Amino acid sequence: MKDTDHLDASVAFNKEWRDALTAGAKALGLDAVESQTNFVLVGFPEEGPHDAASANQFLMKNGYIVRALPSLPHHLRISIGTAEQNRAILSLLTEFMNGSPE
């Protein structure tokens, strides 16, 4: 906590990527809940091939673990990761939403 430079950089990085993931999800037609946290809560269609469960399976198949929430079955909780991981999640979500989920 005494390393305020590191703390400030971490907070700025988290905000930058939280905003980018939120905007990316919204651009794909998904519901992304605005927050001040270290994750993005992304809502998926309740029916059809692009639901949260299918998205979760697709992301896991591609090496990314996000949190499915039993109390919010149409949402996934996506934590802010490294820049590389965040770009990959956005790319995979784009592939999932624009393609045929498998």
Side-chain angles (χ1 to χ4, degrees):
M1 295 301 286
K2 291 181 181 182
D3 187 353
T4 57
D5 290 340
H6 176 73
L7 179 62
D8 291 344
S10 296
V11 169
F13 179 87
N14 188 67
K15 181 184 181 333
E16 173 188 352
W17 279 104
R18 183 184 60 234
D19 292 350
L21 289 172
T22 298
K26 287 182 176 184
L28 293 169
L30 299 170
D31 176 40
V33 179
E34 300 287 337
S35 77
Q36 298 297 313
T37 62
N38 66 340
F39 65 88
V40 177
L41 184 64
V42 179
F44 290 81
E46 292 186 22
E47 298 178 5
H50 299 99
D51 63 5
S54 298
N56 190 30
Q57 289 175 353
F58 180 80
L59 291 169
M60 283 185 15
K61 182 179 93 173
N62 285 282
Y64 287 86
I65 299 172
V66 298
R67 182 174 288 172
L69 305 168
S71 61
L72 295 169
H74 307 296
H75 292 75
L76 295 176
R77 181 186 186 273
I78 302 173
S79 296
I80 306 301
T82 65
E84 178 183 357
Q85 292 165 335
N86 297 329
R87 281 191 285 275
I89 284 284
L90 284 172
S91 178
L92 288 167
L93 284 175
T94 299
E95 182 180 343
F96 173 76
M97 292 304 294
N98 292 329
S100 169
E102 295 178 17

